[in-house]
RNA sequence: GGUCGGUUGGCCGAGUGGCUAGGCAGCGGUCUGCAAAACCGCGUACGGCGGUUCGAAUCCGCCACCGACCUCCA
């Protein structure tokens, strides 16, 4: 490919040419879910965004190690000493073991991700499986002088770190501003500074989940797991770290500080953040209680939903916006995505049956080049899809005889579209014709009816012809007349 | 209050200093017995006010509004 693959690096706030540390190999880490609730539409965005990146990097020929964690130790509910673990809270509510909660929602998450046709990550580490690594990283930070113990807990010394390094570089913050604007917390904390964050948190016997560590029995700090696990599986420096934009601060900022604090260097070359999905212009989030779970979306069972939306409609909807833009949810937008996706799939179904001509009136090479070019530009899927819809128009026009293409062009177009749509964009055709694959007897019956209808049409008995068509439609069989026969499909 | 981002036609959403995506909806036409689908054509949008420029929606400034982060959050 003549053009370089560029990605927007949050750290530099500009697009950079992607160059992996080791030629041919890419290490990428993406923050996964905290499994204390059902996956919602917000979870679909990073999952699909980084699945796309994963697929695209592989398409470019890289061998990719994609690590996405499962957070199964709840982060503390708040910053106060009496903070409660989210997973434990849920466990008490439902009278379950914490690990039962974790298991339930992890399974649910995997199911949803599979429905959205995201590829499983290469490694999916769990925080509880890496307590030793986290303790080890905390020890290193303390040894380097960037962590201190207080009352059995260990905190990151942000003010000291900020003297030696740029704390806030990722999120564009200045420590002074943060200190000025941090609100007063009730109850004096044992922290030296309000900006300090926990690396290890002491937990008393009322906590269901806690581990033994040099400082106390407790739980790892909120940001430690990603640092520990990314280092373990990708090394002290790796290529790409992704996640939702809401994680920039404090989570990712803390990760940078922890890496530098523990290993003396920044671990990540390219920080990538997907933007948020909004609902009525507001962020969709668990804490705001305005989220729609993926199961609700797929079933249509939610007061905000006018209908069910299939996983591929959701995937297509997300791909129609650039990953760095906010995307506003609405029934109208989802329905538009559904129809657009349907149009794309219908055209792809026509591809194998297109008749070749001895010359082409379309420029397949340009279409292909333009589409890949859009992908090279920071994964610009909306532009890529726009080009793809030019292809859709061509396919329909060739089908109708308004445009022509040689066999070579048709093959090229077909190969390209199949590769791009299914392998790279990760879409699947959900409406794979029941027409041919389904019930043979049903096919025969419908064909019989439509043949009778054609006889009625030939006899100009339009009342009968329309009756057959209308009643089939009521049953859910949509009939389309063609010049030399008919087509039909089962809807719903 | 601090930091960052956004404001594009009926809706969703790209993009660019001049050649003015795409999807959905709408309108007109072709095709059809009528439809449906498809195809062709149409609508000339970029928050407001200034400035830079031959030319800005695109660059700069100010203002307004919206949002995100500053506490866990994809």
């Amino acid at each position: 490919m003549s053009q370089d693959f560029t990605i927007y690096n949050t750290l530099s706030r500009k697009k950079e040419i992607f160059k992996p540390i080791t030629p041919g190999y890419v290490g990428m880490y993406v923050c996964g879910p905290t499994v204390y609730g059902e996956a919602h539409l917000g979870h679909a965005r990073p999952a699909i965004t980084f699945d796309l990146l994963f697929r695209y990097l592989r398409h470019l020929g890289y061998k990719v190690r994609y690590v996405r964690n499962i957070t199964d130790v709840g982060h503390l509910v708040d910053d106060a000493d009496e903070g409660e673990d989210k997973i434990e809270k849920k466990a008490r509510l439902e009278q379950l073991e914490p690990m039962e909660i974790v298991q339930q929602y992890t399974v649910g998450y995997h199911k949803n991700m599979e429905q959205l046709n995201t590829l499983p990550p290469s490694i999916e580490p769990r925080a509880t499986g890496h307590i030793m690594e986290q303790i080890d990283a905390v020890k290193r930070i303390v040894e380097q002088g960037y962590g201190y113990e207080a009352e059995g807990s260990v905190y990151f010394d942000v003010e000291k770190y900020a003297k030696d390094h740029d704390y806030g570089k990722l999120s564009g913050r200045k420590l002074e501003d943060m200190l000025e604007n941090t609100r007063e917390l009730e109850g004096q904390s044992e922290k030296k500074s309000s900006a300090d964050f926990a690396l290890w948190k002491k937990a008393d016997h009322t906590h269901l989940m806690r581990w033994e560590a040099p400082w106390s029995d407790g739980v790892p700090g909120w940001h430690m797991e990603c640092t520990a696990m990314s280092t373990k599986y990708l090394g002290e420096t790796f290529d790409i770290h992704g996640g939702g934009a809401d994680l920039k601060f404090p989570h990712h900022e803390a990760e940078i500080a922890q890496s530098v604090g523990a290993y003396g260097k920044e671990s990540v070359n390219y920080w990538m953040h997907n933007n948020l999905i909004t609902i009525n212009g507001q962020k969709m989030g668990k804490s705001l209680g305005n989220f729609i779970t993926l199961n609700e979306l797929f079933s249509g069972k939610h007061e905000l939903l006018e209908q069910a939306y299939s996983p591929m409609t959701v995937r297509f909807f997300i791909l129609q916006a650039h990953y760095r833009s906010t995307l506003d949810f609405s029934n109208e937008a989802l329905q538009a995505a559904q129809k657009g996706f349907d149009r794309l799939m219908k055209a792809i179904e026509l591809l194998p049956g297109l008749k070749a001509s001895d010359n082409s009136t379309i420029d397949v090479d340009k279409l292909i080049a333009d589409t890949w070019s859009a992908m090279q530009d920071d994964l610009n899927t909306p532009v890529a899809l726009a080009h793809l819809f030019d292809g859709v128009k061509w396919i329909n026009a060739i089908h109708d005889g308004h445009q022509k293409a040689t066999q070579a062009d048709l093959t090229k177009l077909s190969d390209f579209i199949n590769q791009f749509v299914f392998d790279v964009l990760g879409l699947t055709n959900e409406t794979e014709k029941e027409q041919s694959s389904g019930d043979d007897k049903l096919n025969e019956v419908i064909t019989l009816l439509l043949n009778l209808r054609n006889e009625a049409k030939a006899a100009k008995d339009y009342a009968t012809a329309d009756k057959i068509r209308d009643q089939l439609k009521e049953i859910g069989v949509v009939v389309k007349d063609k010049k030399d026969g008919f087509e039909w499909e089962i809807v719903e």
Side-chain angles (χ1 to χ4, degrees):
Chain A
M1 212 154 305
S2 56
Q3 184 193 350
D4 290 310
F5 179 38
T6 59
I7 56 183
Y8 183 88
N9 191 344
T10 309
L11 204 51
S12 63
R13 297 181 201 340
K14 54 190 179 208
K15 287 180 198 170
E16 297 178 8
I17 294 170
F18 177 68
K19 285 203 188 95
I21 294 164
T22 308
Y25 292 82
V26 176
M28 79 184 226
Y29 186 92
V30 175
C31 293
T34 303
V35 281
Y36 68 105
E38 277 193 48
H40 59 79
L41 186 50
H43 290 106
R45 190 105 196 249
I48 288 170
T49 297
F50 294 105
D51 181 60
L52 175 76
L53 178 63
F54 183 35
R55 288 167 178 273
Y56 189 60
L57 287 168
R58 299 208 310 184
H59 165 76
L60 291 178
Y62 291 110
K63 188 159 173 22
V64 185
R65 181 177 293 166
Y66 172 22
V67 181
R68 185 181 63 202
N69 65 294
I70 291 281
T71 298
D72 53 359
V73 184
H75 293 155
L76 296 175
V77 168
D78 61 46
D79 202 20
D81 289 345
E82 302 309 312
E84 200 172 0
D85 182 301
K86 282 191 289 201
I87 287 170
E88 288 199 7
K89 188 176 178 186
K90 187 89 180 180
R92 292 207 172 93
L93 278 173
E94 299 188 1
Q95 297 292 311
L96 299 168
E97 273 295 313
M99 273 301 156
E100 213 170 338
I101 300 294
V102 163
Q103 182 68 18
Q104 178 188 331
Y105 291 124
T106 301
V107 167
Y109 180 76
H110 285 156
K111 178 170 170 254
N112 288 152
M113 290 305 111
E114 196 180 320
Q115 287 172 306
L116 290 170
N117 199 32
T118 63
L119 299 170
S122 324
I123 301 176
E124 192 171 53
R126 293 170 172 231
T128 53
H130 299 76
I131 301 294
M132 295 319 292
E133 288 83 353
Q134 295 180 72
I135 290 172
D136 179 64
V138 174
K139 276 185 196 163
R140 284 166 176 267
I141 293 170
V142 172
E143 280 163 19
Q144 300 300 314
Y146 291 116
Y148 60 90
E149 186 189 339
E151 311 276 328
S153 293
V154 182
Y155 294 94
F156 193 90
D157 192 337
V158 171
E159 292 198 40
K160 178 171 193 309
Y161 176 84
K163 286 196 183 97
D164 307 332
H165 305 279
D166 185 358
Y167 183 76
K169 64 190 294 188
L170 182 70
S171 54
R173 285 157 211 269
K174 291 194 178 74
L175 183 58
E176 309 88 77
D177 296 339
M178 287 188 256
L179 292 174
E180 272 173 35
N181 292 301
T182 304
R183 55 186 140 144
E184 296 295 321
L185 288 168
E186 294 299 321
Q188 286 312 301
S189 165
E190 67 254 16
K191 293 195 290 186
K192 284 196 212 167
S193 163
S194 58
D196 293 351
F197 53 86
L199 298 172
W200 184 263
K201 196 83 180 166
K202 183 180 175 181
D204 65 28
H205 67 279
T206 63
H207 284 74
L208 301 173
M209 282 199 282
R210 56 183 189 149
W211 291 265
E212 202 176 300
W215 315 282
S216 65
D217 285 357
V219 294
W222 322 321
H223 314 300
M224 266 329 293
E225 59 174 299
C226 289
T227 299
M229 295 190 287
S230 63
T231 304
K232 173 161 184 174
Y233 296 112
L234 297 172
E236 291 181 9
T237 59
F238 56 96
D239 298 297
I240 299 171
H241 189 129
D246 49 347
L247 296 178
K248 274 187 223 171
F249 190 89
H251 187 58
H252 291 159
E253 201 72 72
E255 278 189 54
I256 292 176
Q258 287 170 348
S259 295
V260 174
Y263 310 109
K265 56 191 165 192
E266 282 186 33
S267 51
V268 178
N269 284 349
Y270 301 88
W271 283 94
M272 292 178 75
H273 292 94
N274 62 275
N275 218 318
L276 306 178
I277 289 182
T278 58
I279 179 161
N280 297 321
Q282 250 209 335
K283 173 182 170 174
M284 178 180 291
K286 273 178 206 155
S287 53
L288 297 170
N290 66 344
F291 63 94
I292 300 171
T293 69
L294 291 170
N295 288 331
E296 287 167 340
L297 209 53
F298 299 157
S299 67
K301 287 176 189 152
H302 188 286
E303 56 176 7
L304 288 169
L305 299 175
E306 288 170 6
Q307 60 169 88
Y309 300 99
S310 73
M312 281 307 113
T313 297
V314 173
R315 186 166 180 121
F316 187 78
F317 172 65
I318 287 174
L319 291 174
Q320 266 196 315
H322 186 87
Y323 75 90
R324 279 189 290 116
S325 301
T326 56
L327 173 60
D328 201 48
F329 162 87
S330 69
N331 281 285
E332 211 179 351
L334 260 304
Q335 283 158 15
Q338 183 180 47
K339 287 183 185 168
F341 177 64
D342 193 44
R343 186 168 137 86
L344 176 62
M345 287 303 136
K346 286 222 169 78
I348 291 174
E349 284 167 19
L350 289 178
L351 266 171
L354 293 183
K355 292 193 183 73
S357 306
D358 46 14
N359 66 326
S360 286
T361 54
I362 60 173
D363 191 345
V364 175
D365 289 326
K366 184 170 190 309
L367 177 87
I368 294 172
D370 286 350
T371 308
W372 289 127
S373 169
M375 292 301 288
Q376 291 286 81
D377 182 17
D378 194 29
L379 301 173
N380 198 331
T381 49
V383 167
L385 284 170
H387 292 304
L388 207 56
F389 273 99
D390 286 339
V392 167
K393 200 168 272 191
W394 287 349
I395 290 167
N396 286 326
I398 292 166
H399 183 67
D400 284 4
H402 300 131
Q403 298 275 10
K404 292 188 285 186
T406 61
Q407 188 55 55
D409 274 349
L410 286 180
T411 303
K412 207 189 287 178
L413 183 64
S414 179
D415 289 349
F416 163 71
I417 286 185
N418 280 299
Q419 180 187 35
F420 183 67
V421 172
F422 300 118
D423 297 345
V424 175
L425 295 183
L427 296 167
T428 56
N429 192 348
E430 296 169 317
T431 59
E432 291 285 7
K433 291 297 126 222
E434 288 110 68
Q435 183 166 344
S436 50
S437 62
D439 187 332
D440 286 342
K441 288 256 186 296
L442 178 66
N443 293 339
E444 284 173 32
V445 170
I446 292 175
T447 303
L448 174 68
L449 276 168
L450 292 180
N451 279 332
L452 284 171
R453 173 167 176 268
N454 272 0
E455 284 171 24
K457 277 169 68 182
K460 297 209 188 301
D461 179 6
Y462 296 124
T464 302
D466 289 352
K467 190 177 176 188
I468 292 172
R469 184 176 63 195
D470 293 346
Q471 294 196 353
L472 277 173
K473 191 180 177 185
E474 275 176 36
I475 298 167
V477 178
V478 174
V479 178
K480 296 177 204 170
D481 288 348
K482 306 298 287 185
K483 276 206 176 62
D484 49 356
F486 49 76
E487 284 179 1
W488 57 272
E489 65 175 330
I490 296 172
V491 295
E492 291 168 330

